[in-house]
Amino acid sequence: MINLFEKEMNKRKIGFVIGFVLLMWLIYLLGFFLKIDLGILGIYPRAINSLLGIITSPFIHGSFEHLIF
């Protein structure tokens, strides 16, 4: 039997996942409609400047199909 604390934690986990997905969609749509190349925030081999890409790369998608699948 799931207690009240576990139900609340499950709601938070689901909320986090939904929020993360919505943030990915928002960033993709902003880049698409504003014609911004967000690829500069990706990870590039042997480039110290791309260390920020470790954090930002999960939010960058190359196309609509890439975002869906």
Side-chain angles (χ1 to χ4, degrees):
M1 185 168 181
I2 298 177
N3 62 23
L4 185 59
F5 178 73
E6 289 176 353
K7 286 183 182 180
E8 187 64 32
M9 287 302 293
N10 287 338
K11 286 181 185 179
R12 287 184 184 198
K13 291 175 187 177
I14 291 171
F16 177 78
V17 171
I18 290 172
F20 194 81
V21 170
L22 288 176
L23 184 60
M24 286 192 297
W25 273 96
L26 177 66
I27 291 171
Y28 174 76
L29 292 174
L30 282 174
F32 180 77
F33 287 116
L34 298 177
K35 306 287 189 227
I36 299 172
D37 180 24
L38 297 175
I40 60 171
L41 297 174
I43 300 173
Y44 295 98
R46 298 182 183 174
I48 193 90
N49 295 343
S50 74
L51 288 177
L52 178 62
I54 295 171
I55 297 168
T56 59
S57 63
F59 301 103
I60 301 170
H61 294 82
S63 66
F64 179 71
E65 292 80 17
H66 182 219
L67 185 59
I68 293 294
F69 299 110

